[in-house]
Amino acid sequence: MSHTVCVVNEFITEAHKKQINAVAEKHGFSVRYYQTKEDAAGQIADCEVLFGHWRSLLKEAPDLKWYCCSYAGVDPYQPPFRFPEGVMLTNSSGAYGVTIAEHILMVTLMLQRKMPDYTKIIQNHGWTNDLPIRSIQGSRLTLLGTGDIGTTFAKRARALCPASITGVNRSGRVADAVYDRVVPMTELDSVLPETDILVMALPSTSETIGIMTRERIALLSPSSILVNVGRGTAIDQEALMEALNSDKLAGAALDVMVPEPLPEDHPLWNTKNLLLTPHVAGNMTLGYTCDKTVSMFCENLEKYAEGKPLDHLVDLKRGY
């Protein structure tokens, strides 16, 4: 009996197909490729393994056993969405650390070195060059979220000699020496006043939605900056805008927000000292990310074929 793998991803190259086909043929799988959900619609009823990121296709694959999401975030598959019972869900956490870490580094340096202000000066043909800038060196970094993204950034930031790197997560533990200390979420309020640069890299779960409240934003120093690359739902946006516009926060960079896309008349567009990017930090536009995602899928396909436990299995009750 032939086992069918359906790959529905727009970034798949011929090299990726060759890599997937090699594993599939070794274990007796047949593979079909589609670029979009429209291409795949009505074509995947016999699919046993699905590799993609369109949840609407799940209802078209009644024989599905394993769905490998090519994204790291799986909040679209949480309730009230009804994920198919008995189907394993894995994500691609681990493929996005490099690209998102570089994005965090970029926007952090832009804020620290007043790049948005200098861009406006140059666009107006001005020549002011005395704006006070700050450095990552000597700054106290706090990583709210110590998974692949937070830790990959922390390793890169370490080379720039911060005063300290503190991790904050559910357990208060993480197996990586890059952190000077790791504390549980219950101690977040005591960490924020000691933070110069706060990086938020959290998945969307019941515990993280609204975690950065008005009261917690107020705990940050007026000289602090905040960077969010996790989910927009983690922050009280109204309170953030007020803090930025009243100079109670030095700056912020948001790659995620609520809603997305951001309406043309939304006040975030005109908020002071705010860098906005349209959810591009973890996009599938960096070759390394695409290659890593495919490699991880192939490694798991080997394990699936051999009946071994899969890596990156998602617990939808926890949200990751």
Side-chain angles (χ1 to χ4, degrees):
M1 175 181 169
S2 176
H3 301 279
T4 303
V5 176
C6 292
V7 178
V8 191
N9 277 304
E10 66 275 23
F11 62 83
I12 296 295
T13 65
E14 291 303 314
H16 292 151
K17 290 180 181 179
K18 184 176 180 181
Q19 187 178 353
I20 295 169
N21 289 343
V23 178
E25 290 170 8
K26 174 183 174 182
H27 295 284
F29 290 95
S30 61
V31 189
R32 296 200 300 272
Y33 296 92
Y34 308 94
Q35 280 210 316
T36 67
K37 63 179 179 180
E38 288 79 16
D39 294 337
Q43 306 295 319
I44 63 170
D46 61 339
C47 178
E48 180 178 339
V49 176
L50 177 61
F51 176 35
H53 56 82
W54 281 288
R55 72 177 191 179
S56 61
L57 291 177
L58 291 172
K59 65 180 183 294
E60 300 201 27
D63 295 331
L64 191 65
K65 299 292 188 297
W66 166 36
Y67 174 48
C68 175
C69 180
S70 50
Y71 291 161
V74 291
D75 40 298
Y77 304 94
Q78 292 175 272
F81 180 77
R82 296 181 64 181
F83 191 80
E85 189 174 347
V87 176
M88 291 184 292
L89 171 64
T90 61
N91 67 0
S92 297
S93 177
Y96 294 87
V98 169
T99 185
I100 298 181
E102 290 183 359
H103 179 93
I104 297 168
L105 187 59
M106 174 188 73
V107 296
T108 298
L109 289 171
M110 288 177 72
L111 289 169
Q112 295 287 74
R113 300 187 66 85
K114 301 289 186 182
M115 194 61 196
D117 296 300
Y118 278 120
T119 297
K120 291 177 184 177
I121 289 168
I122 293 300
Q123 285 176 340
N124 293 324
H125 298 187
W127 202 254
T128 300
N129 60 6
D130 58 357
L131 299 181
I133 63 173
R134 296 173 59 199
S135 178
I136 291 177
Q137 178 166 312
S139 293
R140 298 165 298 179
L141 272 61
T142 296
L143 280 294
L144 183 46
T146 59
D148 173 58
I149 293 166
T151 300
T152 303
F153 168 71
K155 290 177 178 178
R156 282 148 178 75
R158 176 60 75 186
L160 297 175
C161 305
S164 62
I165 302 179
T166 297
V168 183
N169 61 24
R170 291 176 72 243
S171 67
R173 299 185 302 273
V174 67
D176 202 295
V178 71
Y179 298 99
D180 294 295
R181 61 172 176 158
V182 179
V183 302
M185 292 285 193
T186 52
E187 296 183 27
L188 178 58
D189 289 2
S190 65
V191 171
L192 293 175
E194 305 168 358
T195 298
D196 298 311
I197 300 169
L198 174 64
V199 175
M200 300 178 61
L202 295 167
S204 179
T205 71
S206 58
E207 295 174 324
T208 63
I209 291 173
I211 192 169
M212 191 54 53
T213 60
R214 177 178 296 274
E215 292 75 20
R216 284 180 169 148
I217 290 171
L219 291 174
L220 291 166
S221 163
S223 61
S224 299
I225 68 168
L226 180 156
V227 178
N228 188 17
V229 293
R231 286 294 183 265
T233 53
I235 297 179
D236 182 335
Q237 285 186 170
E238 189 70 30
L240 178 65
M241 289 186 287
E242 290 177 14
L244 290 166
N245 287 329
S246 60
D247 295 320
K248 293 179 180 176
L249 197 62
L254 302 180
D255 187 55
V256 288
M257 57 221 74
V258 179
E260 292 182 16
L262 203 60
E264 289 185 13
D265 59 349
H266 198 283
L268 273 175
W269 292 115
N270 299 311
T271 298
K272 193 176 176 183
N273 296 323
L274 177 62
L275 274 174
L276 292 175
T277 48
H279 207 143
V280 297
N283 239 349
M284 302 302 295
T285 49
L286 180 67
Y288 171 84
T289 306
C290 301
D291 294 346
K292 182 68 173 177
T293 303
V294 171
S295 293
M296 289 168 58
F297 171 68
C298 287
E299 290 168 9
N300 252 354
L301 186 58
E302 287 268 12
K303 293 184 176 183
Y304 177 81
E306 295 169 0
K308 296 178 180 178
L310 301 183
D311 295 328
H312 311 291
L313 266 174
V314 174
D315 182 341
L316 284 170
K317 291 182 179 177
R318 292 193 305 176
Y320 56 92

